[in-house]
Amino acid sequence: MENVHLVPEEEEDDLYTGYNDYNPTFDSEDLHNDVAFQQAVRTSHGRRPPMTAKYPGTAIGGRPIGTAYGSRVPIGTAMGRPMTGAVQDGAARPMTAVRAAGYSSSIARGSAFDPLGQAKGPAPPLETKNEDTPEEKIKILEKKVNDLIEDSCLAHARGDLQVSLEKAKEAGRKERALVRQREQTGTADHINLDLTYSVLFNLANQYANNDMYTEALNTCQVIVKNKMFNNAGRLKVNMANIYFKQKNYTKAIKFYRMALDQISNAHNAMRIKIMQNIGVVFIHMGQYSDAITSFEYIMTESPNIKTGFNLILCYYAIGDRERMKKAFQKLICVPLGVDDDDKYIPPNDDPHANMVIEAIKNDKLHQMERERKALAEKYIMTSAKLIAPAIEMSFAAGFDWCVDMVKGSQYVELANDLEINKAITYLRQRDFKQAVETLKMFEKKDSRVKSAAATNLSFLYFLEKDFDQADRYAELAMSADRYNPAALINKGNTLFVKEDYEKAAEFYKESLRNDSSCTEALYNLGLTYKRLGRLEEALDCFLKLHAILRNSAQVMYQLANLYEMLEDPHQAIEWLMQLTSVTPTDAQVLAKLGDLYDNEGDKSQAFQYYYESYRYFPSNISVIEWLGAYYIDTQFCEKAIQYFERATLIQPTQVKWQLMVASCYRRSGNYQKALETYKEIHRKFPENVECLRFLVRLCTDMGLKEVQDYATKLKKVEKMKEIREQRVRSGRDSSARSRREGSAGSDSGQSNHGTSAKGERLSVKLKTLPGSNEPYEASTQQEIDASYVDPLGPQTQRPKTAARKRNEEDEFADEELGDDLLPE
């Protein structure tokens, strides 16, 4: 302690000196009690500068301003802040931190209040951009290139492929000009690679869309070879697609595999799609084993309906039954990713939920789900129909196996459709008994299946002309589903064949009310109105049908026939002309056109269409007769010979055609050939009177010795005909007498009436022939032809041009009654 010396207090150096000094300026604890400060905060009172001695006469003068803390700081603010509002030496007052809107100390007293400064006039215009600078020119050019790409894409969306290609080419030219301009300005480092890629990619696509595959491939090569473009290797998929369109399958496989190598495993969906394309290309190449390898990998990694269907096709192509079965089982187990339809059934107790379900019941998502499900059902049905005959010894056993598999899957409702397809397969094999038995199994099923089966049964019985059974099953189909248009049509058909046209029309109308697009019902309704004689209503039906089926030959023919019945030949010709544009080789239509033109007196047009009809179908007797008569009328008998010879080949037992050939030889002056032809006719028909008469005349004029033999034969034949005619007349008289007396033998008299009429017709023919002493040259065309025309009478001046359809417009053929009643 001796050595310890204490330092005096006045010399002590305290390290914390000055920390306890108090400065009232920074005192903020009692500011909420300071009235002046609070008033300054709430109003603009504190923003006003205090009055100083520079402005005499003020209330406060130069005395200090007091605060709640006393007058510690002279001429200060409430917190001791230096005053900024005072004007010193005439200088302008500087702006404070907080300034009232519209306040300005320079405004003279009494001036107008103008806080927005509207009295100063409009603001000066903005400075315009200087487009002459290189950067501005580059920006404008880039915008033009983008606009051209957009226009090209829009044109392609509209389907205008040529315009889209032109826009893409122009975008390429503009982009190259843009690159050159950047190189000239020394900004080549700022080239927009994304824009270049977009231009080239769009150009390649447009080339491919316009089938300019070489140019498209060259453009894709430019992109692929440029290492500056990211992910350019994916374009090899596009190049492979182009090679596939060119049927260059080897290169397509090569480029698909190159693209597959450049795509990482992270993009599994893309790799699966490329593998699927590879499999499809192998199918086109016929390498089914390689295709199976690709499809099996896909079904293992990411199964889908389309790949499963392709796999079944490949197994079917190589004939592997067991693997077909396994592939079908995999196909029906592929998840669709579609929710159950029960979520679209609205609950009754929640109106809000009902509104939501009503809104989503037919939205885009639900439509997509229905389309996906319908596609899956289509592939499964097609696969079952394809493999059913191949996987078992008989197609029936194969169908049964497929039905059992489907019943245990999520597509259980397809089992009934497969059963109906089994019946249809029986129909295609002409095994109607098995088809009927299969369909009869559905009589106790639910309403939809029962209606479909009964509809098919009704149609089958209708084709077999068992109209009672057809009517029974049509009634059964309607009772199961009254809104089935096919069932209503079948019911109407059965009534139509029973000639109950009014009721048939009612069922056709009901079918149209249920399905306005049912063309079979509309067609049959038109035929029904036609049978009822309501031609205008029938015409209206077929005009509506023509608006739906623009190129239907049957509808056009019906319209032409109706206009002909309505005595409007010009409209009938117009519709037949449209029909020839659809079926230019229909001989009956061409013959009908010839008939209409002949009725109108236009022989040249009639000859043109009759000749075309003969060219396509040279066996129509009516057309042959008209053409032969046309050449005789125009004094070209040599040309008429070929047509009558054709008629002779078609109807060799009809003597009139051979007589016409001989007559043409005689008229053309070839008497020797005419004589030979008459001799040949006499050898085949020794009792033909007309042939013997011409033989007598020709032999007499030519001085031949056979004239006496032919004259003797002629007398014998005439004598026999007279005896035959007397017997016919006596039989006719006895039948008339028995009818007058009302005897029991009236039936026999009626049976002989036709024979007597025939004898009378023969006697008339004999009277019209020229006498034996008259020269044959004096015989007119009318007299000669009258002796060997059809029993309809002499009509050689305008021969009968039947050329009419065999009442097919009124016949209920299968195609007219809607053969689509059997589902595809």
Side-chain angles (χ1 to χ4, degrees):
M1 294 298 294
E2 296 176 357
N3 299 323
V4 176
H5 299 281
L6 297 177
V7 180
E9 291 184 4
E10 60 271 15
E11 296 179 4
E12 186 177 36
D13 188 10
D14 191 0
L15 295 176
Y16 300 97
T17 303
Y19 281 92
N20 293 325
D21 294 344
Y22 178 78
N23 189 352
T25 305
F26 302 105
D27 185 9
S28 58
E29 293 179 357
D30 294 328
L31 286 179
H32 60 279
N33 297 322
D34 191 341
V35 178
F37 180 80
Q38 294 299 328
Q39 186 177 4
V41 171
R42 286 194 297 270
T43 66
S44 61
H45 177 78
R47 300 174 191 171
R48 300 176 183 175
M51 306 305 291
T52 62
K54 293 286 184 181
Y55 300 90
T58 59
I60 59 176
R63 62 187 179 86
I65 300 175
T67 64
Y69 294 97
S71 55
R72 297 175 182 173
V73 183
I75 312 177
T77 61
M79 291 184 62
R81 180 175 59 87
M83 184 178 60
T84 59
V87 179
Q88 299 176 1
D89 300 331
R93 176 183 179 276
M95 182 181 294
T96 59
V98 182
R99 183 181 179 189
Y103 174 78
S104 177
S105 60
S106 62
I107 298 177
R109 187 180 300 272
S111 60
F113 179 71
D114 187 14
L116 299 179
Q118 297 177 359
K120 297 179 180 179
L126 298 174
E127 294 183 3
T128 58
K129 289 184 179 180
N130 187 5
E131 297 183 359
D132 294 334
T133 61
E135 281 299 325
E136 197 63 32
K137 289 181 179 179
I138 289 172
K139 288 182 180 179
I140 293 172
L141 199 54
E142 282 186 353
K143 187 177 185 307
K144 288 181 180 179
V145 173
N146 281 310
D147 291 342
L148 286 170
I149 295 174
E150 185 177 353
D151 293 342
S152 175
C153 296
L154 291 175
H156 175 260
R158 294 193 303 268
D160 198 346
L161 302 180
Q162 189 64 33
V163 174
S164 65
L165 179 59
E166 292 298 328
K167 295 288 185 182
K169 289 180 178 179
E170 188 176 354
R173 290 192 292 268
K174 295 282 187 185
E175 196 274 335
R176 287 192 295 273
L178 175 62
V179 172
R180 287 194 299 269
Q181 191 166 346
R182 280 198 177 277
E183 290 175 351
Q184 291 173 2
T185 57
T187 58
D189 296 338
H190 297 83
I191 293 175
N192 191 345
L193 291 177
D194 292 337
L195 183 62
T196 306
Y197 183 90
S198 300
V199 169
L200 293 174
F201 182 69
N202 180 59
L203 182 59
N205 285 338
Q206 301 311 328
Y207 275 134
N209 293 331
N210 284 271
D211 298 335
M212 300 171 68
Y213 298 127
T214 305
E215 292 83 354
L217 289 172
N218 293 336
T219 309
C220 288
Q221 284 286 1
V222 173
I223 301 175
V224 171
K225 290 182 178 180
N226 194 334
K227 302 300 182 183
M228 300 179 67
F229 295 135
N230 295 326
N231 299 322
R234 293 193 180 186
L235 260 69
K236 291 182 179 178
V237 177
N238 298 43
M239 299 174 71
N241 292 339
I242 293 173
Y243 283 124
F244 178 78
K245 290 179 181 178
Q246 291 179 326
K247 297 185 179 181
N248 191 348
Y249 300 129
T250 306
K251 279 197 172 183
I253 292 288
K254 175 183 175 183
F255 275 84
Y256 278 134
R257 285 178 171 168
M258 290 169 65
L260 198 63
D261 293 339
Q262 296 186 11
I263 295 175
S264 64
N265 294 328
H267 302 88
N268 190 44
M270 177 70 73
R271 293 177 62 86
I272 291 295
K273 290 180 180 179
I274 295 175
M275 288 288 291
Q276 188 168 345
N277 287 358
I278 292 173
V280 172
V281 176
F282 276 131
I283 289 177
H284 281 81
M285 295 174 68
Q287 300 179 15
Y288 299 112
S289 299
D290 296 329
I292 287 171
T293 303
S294 297
F295 292 143
E296 284 181 342
Y297 172 79
I298 296 172
M299 291 300 289
T300 304
E301 294 294 326
S302 177
N304 60 81
I305 290 291
K306 194 173 292 185
T307 303
F309 178 70
N310 289 336
L311 185 60
I312 290 175
L313 292 180
C314 292
Y315 288 144
Y316 180 82
I318 63 176
D320 194 334
R321 292 185 178 182
E322 294 301 323
R323 295 171 85 179
M324 271 191 277
K325 289 183 177 180
K326 292 180 180 178
F328 186 77
Q329 290 173 343
K330 288 182 180 179
L331 179 65
I332 60 179
C333 292
V334 172
L336 287 180
V338 177
D339 293 335
D340 196 351
D341 288 339
D342 292 340
K343 71 177 182 180
Y344 296 106
I345 300 175
N348 296 326
D349 54 348
D350 191 352
H352 180 70
N354 291 344
M355 293 176 63
V356 172
I357 291 174
E358 191 67 28
I360 67 172
K361 187 177 291 185
N362 199 31
D363 61 351
K364 295 291 184 182
L365 179 60
H366 194 199
Q367 291 176 8
M368 186 188 71
E369 290 176 348
R370 285 200 301 264
E371 291 173 1
R372 184 181 296 179
K373 191 173 182 181
L375 184 64
E377 292 176 354
K378 176 185 175 183
Y379 282 140
I380 292 171
M381 291 289 293
T382 307
S383 301
K385 289 188 286 186
L386 178 68
I387 68 174
I391 58 178
E392 299 291 345
M393 298 305 295
S394 65
F395 89 93
F399 260 110
D400 293 338
W401 183 88
C402 292
V403 169
D404 292 339
M405 291 296 104
V406 169
K407 284 182 178 178
S409 70
Q410 57 182 326
Y411 304 99
V412 62
E413 66 274 6
L414 291 181
N416 292 326
D417 295 336
L418 282 174
E419 290 281 359
I420 291 178
N421 273 279
K422 179 181 176 182
I424 294 172
T425 308
Y426 278 125
L427 288 178
R428 292 196 179 107
Q429 295 181 352
R430 304 287 180 181
D431 193 348
F432 298 106
K433 183 179 179 181
Q434 288 290 340
V436 171
E437 290 180 359
T438 304
L439 290 171
K440 284 183 177 180
M441 295 168 55
F442 292 96
E443 291 188 19
K444 296 182 180 180
K445 297 280 186 179
D446 59 356
S447 59
R448 184 185 68 85
V449 180
K450 184 194 298 184
S451 179
T455 300
N456 288 318
L457 284 169
S458 175
F459 185 68
L460 281 173
Y461 282 120
F462 187 88
L463 294 180
E464 294 178 353
K465 300 189 184 306
D466 189 350
F467 301 122
D468 293 333
Q469 286 289 343
D471 183 69
R472 172 176 169 269
Y473 279 102
E475 289 283 354
L476 181 62
M478 288 192 302
S479 63
D481 184 6
R482 185 70 184 188
Y483 297 99
N484 185 355
L488 294 168
I489 291 174
N490 287 345
K491 178 63 177 178
N493 293 347
T494 57
L495 293 171
F496 187 96
V497 296
K498 295 176 182 177
E499 299 184 359
D500 192 352
Y501 301 122
E502 293 291 347
K503 286 187 178 180
E506 291 300 323
F507 280 102
Y508 295 142
K509 290 178 183 177
E510 185 177 354
S511 176
L512 286 171
R513 285 193 294 269
N514 293 338
D515 183 6
S516 59
S517 63
C518 186
T519 55
E520 294 83 5
L522 191 58
Y523 188 93
N524 292 346
L525 182 62
L527 293 183
T528 307
Y529 283 143
K530 192 175 177 183
R531 287 290 182 92
L532 290 170
R534 294 152 66 174
L535 301 182
E536 293 292 343
E537 296 180 48
L539 186 65
D540 184 54
C541 289
F542 286 113
L543 286 173
K544 290 178 181 177
L545 196 57
H546 177 68
I548 301 171
L549 307 174
R550 302 296 297 181
N551 295 322
S552 174
Q554 290 182 336
V555 175
M556 292 182 187
Y557 182 81
Q558 293 293 341
L559 287 168
N561 185 255
L562 283 169
Y563 276 116
E564 184 184 7
M565 295 172 69
L566 290 169
E567 299 180 356
D568 190 350
H570 296 291
Q571 283 289 338
I573 291 173
E574 180 66 27
W575 280 105
L576 287 176
M577 292 293 289
Q578 292 187 35
L579 180 55
T580 55
S581 66
V582 177
T583 56
T585 60
D586 193 321
Q588 290 184 335
V589 174
L590 294 169
K592 187 64 181 176
L593 270 171
D595 184 27
L596 290 173
Y597 276 115
D598 188 25
N599 293 337
E600 292 295 307
D602 192 345
K603 293 287 184 182
S604 61
Q605 285 287 345
F607 169 75
Q608 176 184 348
Y609 287 108
Y610 271 122
Y611 180 78
E612 288 293 316
S613 176
Y614 174 78
R615 190 163 66 88
Y616 289 117
F617 184 63
S619 300
N620 191 330
I621 292 295
S622 302
V623 175
I624 292 171
E625 184 179 1
W626 192 94
L627 289 171
Y630 174 80
Y631 279 117
I632 292 175
D633 288 342
T634 54
Q635 304 300 321
F636 291 100
C637 299
E638 298 87 349
K639 292 187 176 181
I641 292 173
Q642 61 174 331
Y643 295 103
F644 292 125
E645 286 179 345
R646 170 73 66 175
T648 303
L649 293 175
I650 297 171
Q651 296 180 344
T653 59
Q654 294 287 335
V655 68
K656 66 177 181 178
W657 305 121
Q658 301 179 42
L659 289 172
M660 288 298 296
V661 172
S663 176
C664 289
Y665 281 125
R666 180 179 58 79
R667 285 173 175 274
S668 61
N670 193 348
Y671 302 124
Q672 186 63 37
K673 190 68 175 177
L675 181 62
E676 293 176 1
T677 306
Y678 279 124
K679 286 182 178 180
E680 183 67 22
I681 295 171
H682 177 65
R683 187 178 64 81
K684 295 179 180 178
F685 305 95
E687 294 184 0
N688 188 272
V689 176
E690 291 82 4
C691 179
L692 287 171
R693 285 181 180 176
F694 281 114
L695 280 171
V696 169
R697 292 182 197 176
L698 283 172
C699 292
T700 301
D701 293 340
M702 296 175 70
L704 300 178
K705 296 179 182 180
E706 300 98 319
V707 61
Q708 191 60 39
D709 295 338
Y710 291 126
T712 304
K713 291 180 180 179
L714 178 61
K715 288 180 181 179
K716 288 181 180 179
V717 171
E718 287 178 344
K719 186 65 176 176
M720 291 173 61
K721 284 189 175 293
E722 287 179 2
I723 295 171
R724 199 173 292 129
E725 289 171 5
Q726 288 177 0
R727 290 176 181 175
V728 169
R729 280 196 294 270
S730 62
R732 184 186 60 187
D733 293 340
S734 63
S735 62
R737 197 163 42 249
S738 63
R739 282 197 303 272
R740 286 195 302 269
E741 295 173 356
S743 62
S746 61
D747 294 338
S748 61
Q750 290 176 1
S751 64
N752 293 330
H753 179 67
T755 309
S756 65
K758 183 178 179 183
E760 185 177 297
R761 184 173 67 251
L762 291 175
S763 65
V764 172
K765 288 181 181 179
L766 291 174
K767 290 177 183 178
T768 58
L769 287 170
S772 60
N773 56 350
E774 295 179 6
Y776 53 83
E777 287 83 358
S779 301
T780 63
Q781 173 69 23
Q782 211 169 14
E783 292 170 346
I784 293 174
D785 293 342
S787 59
Y788 41 82
V789 294
D790 285 336
L792 296 177
Q795 297 181 10
T796 55
Q797 291 299 321
R798 192 172 80 79
K800 173 186 165 188
T801 55
R804 299 178 179 89
K805 297 229 175 190
R806 49 173 180 78
N807 279 338
E808 65 188 18
E809 62 270 18
D810 297 332
E811 295 288 338
F812 264 64
D814 298 345
E815 61 271 15
E816 293 177 349
L817 285 179
D819 46 24
D820 64 335
L821 301 181
L822 291 175
E824 288 292 335

